[in-house]
Amino acid sequence: MKEHKVYEANDKMISLIADNCDILQSLGRFGLNLGFGDKTVWEVCEEHHVDTFTFLAVVNYSVNGYLDPDASSRYSLPTLLHYLKSSHEYYINFQLPAIRVQLDTALDHNDSLAHLIMQLYDEYVREMCHHMRYEEKTVFPYVEGLLTGTVVSGYDIETFSKNHGHIDRRLKELKNIIIKYFPNNQYKNNQLIDALHTLYDTETWLEMHTQVEEKIFIPAIKYLEDKSKKDDVSTRISQMINSNPNAKDCLSEREKEVIICLVQGMINKEIADKLCISVNTVITHRKNIAKKLQIHSPAGLTIYAIANNLIDISSVKL
């Protein structure tokens, strides 16, 4: 089995293609044109305004399965969106029609089975188009909204992730029917084998397309979702600080210590033991805190503690 290296930004683009000709398909999806001479990957990507790190992540994962598990924050979603949109356009407007022509030419239309095979293929095309159009109308606009700070309530990428995949079953069924049951026709045999080869190549490409979405695109969106939620919490906390800048000064140091313990999930007995005071004293402090701050819920005290730098937001599970 041929081993592939992990490609880097200073490698020459021509070397990537020489090692792995399948990368040629990815170039078009990213909007990278041929004729790049001896330029490096970085130079070609910069010239075409493509994020180099994201391009290499997709290439390395496609070629040798290499994936940095901690890279979600570094992926460029605009670059990934362009790549996926272009992949859809290629597949729907070029690849699927071309396969249909190839199948139509290879099948003997005097055989009733040929009509059923074409019908099965057309059903597969409708299913694939429906899946990809859903992403274009729902998922991609959702991501574009996140990039501009617009969060759509009632939807997140987990909803898409749970229903992703299993879109190639009909293609597998089509291949198996042709191989197992289509009558032998000496004249058309080579054409049919060629069409089958194209179907297998398409299946491989579709599987990798799905994996790129699941391993790179979806984790990048989840990172952005989490960041957006934290940014939203930070904004509301900032507003709280500005509306009551002196709130911190009205508490004693001991009351602040009690708040920290409460936010960490301690019960009265645990707080008493930690601070070396009685349970009754803890209860008294809690009553005073509620009276001074007019905050009675753990969530409210958590926000107060973050707002006044009693605890760090990164240590709180939001």
Side-chain angles (χ1 to χ4, degrees):
M1 182 177 178
K2 182 180 178 181
E3 293 185 1
H4 299 282
K5 62 175 288 188
V6 175
Y7 295 101
E8 299 178 351
N10 60 354
D11 288 325
K12 292 186 182 300
M13 184 68 82
I14 188 67
S15 298
L16 270 68
I17 296 172
D19 292 345
N20 314 278
C21 61
D22 289 341
I23 291 176
L24 282 169
Q25 287 188 322
S26 295
L27 294 182
R29 315 289 194 279
F30 281 105
L32 302 178
N33 299 325
L34 299 176
F36 37 71
D38 289 321
K39 293 177 182 177
T40 64
V41 172
W42 180 83
E43 289 172 330
V44 175
C45 288
E46 284 293 301
E47 185 177 310
H48 292 84
H49 308 292
V50 172
D51 181 70
T52 306
F53 181 84
T54 305
F55 170 77
L56 284 171
V58 173
V59 167
N60 282 317
Y61 183 65
S62 301
V63 169
N64 51 38
Y66 173 79
L67 190 66
D68 183 349
D70 301 317
S72 300
S73 63
R74 299 181 60 189
Y75 297 136
S76 166
L77 278 170
T79 294
L80 285 172
L81 281 171
H82 183 276
Y83 170 79
L84 294 173
K85 287 179 180 178
S86 296
S87 295
H88 286 191
E89 182 180 355
Y90 168 82
Y91 195 66
I92 292 175
N93 297 328
F94 176 78
Q95 185 71 359
L96 289 177
I99 294 174
R100 194 184 196 287
V101 170
Q102 197 173 12
L103 271 176
D104 189 60
T105 303
L107 295 174
D108 184 354
H109 292 282
N110 292 322
D111 192 319
S112 59
L113 186 58
H115 174 73
L116 294 176
I117 288 176
M118 294 305 299
Q119 182 178 343
L120 183 60
Y121 178 75
D122 288 340
E123 289 174 357
Y124 164 72
V125 170
R126 284 193 293 272
E127 187 178 78
M128 283 303 306
C129 288
H130 175 76
H131 172 81
M132 291 185 172
R133 295 306 185 203
Y134 166 79
E135 292 183 5
E136 292 169 2
K137 293 179 180 179
T138 305
V139 182
F140 295 168
Y142 170 72
V143 176
E144 290 166 346
L146 284 176
L147 289 170
T148 59
T150 303
V151 180
V152 178
S153 61
Y155 185 86
D156 56 33
I157 200 59
E158 190 66 29
T159 303
F160 166 68
S161 181
K162 289 178 180 178
N163 297 286
H164 194 240
H166 306 299
I167 55 177
D168 59 346
R169 291 174 178 171
R170 204 177 295 273
L171 182 60
K172 294 179 185 294
E173 180 183 351
L174 176 64
K175 294 193 290 82
N176 290 336
I177 287 176
I178 293 175
I179 293 170
K180 291 182 178 181
Y181 306 116
F182 200 78
N184 180 40
N185 185 315
Q186 188 69 29
Y187 177 72
K188 296 266 188 176
N189 190 55
N190 288 336
Q191 291 177 323
L192 193 55
I193 289 176
D194 192 46
L196 270 173
H197 190 273
T198 301
L199 289 174
Y200 273 100
D201 284 344
T202 299
E203 185 179 31
T204 300
W205 175 86
L206 185 61
E207 173 62 24
M208 183 50 61
H209 175 81
T210 302
Q211 287 298 310
V212 167
E213 287 186 323
E214 292 184 353
K215 303 297 185 181
I216 298 178
F217 185 55
I218 291 176
I221 299 169
K222 287 181 178 179
Y223 171 81
L224 184 58
E225 285 178 338
D226 291 342
K227 184 176 182 299
S228 297
K229 291 175 183 176
K230 288 181 179 180
D231 287 347
D232 181 56
V233 170
S234 297
T235 298
R236 287 188 277 115
I237 289 173
S238 177
Q239 292 170 346
M240 177 181 171
I241 293 173
N242 293 332
S243 65
N244 191 11
N246 297 317
K248 185 178 179 181
D249 297 333
C250 71
L251 296 179
S252 68
E253 291 302 316
R254 179 63 81 189
E255 287 167 344
K256 294 174 188 175
E257 291 175 340
V258 171
I259 288 177
I260 293 172
C261 292
L262 288 170
V263 169
Q264 291 174 342
M266 295 184 188
I267 61 175
N268 290 344
K269 180 66 168 60
E270 292 172 327
I271 297 173
D273 292 342
K274 180 178 177 61
L275 301 181
C276 299
I277 57 179
S278 69
V279 172
N280 286 336
T281 302
V282 173
I283 294 173
T284 299
H285 283 316
R286 293 188 64 170
K287 289 179 179 178
N288 291 336
I289 291 168
K291 183 178 179 180
K292 289 179 181 180
L293 301 181
Q294 292 300 302
I295 297 174
H296 305 275
S297 68
L301 288 176
T302 300
I303 292 175
Y304 172 85
I306 296 172
N308 290 279
N309 298 317
L310 300 182
I311 58 173
D312 187 84
I313 190 172
S314 61
S315 66
V316 179
K317 185 177 181 180
L318 300 174

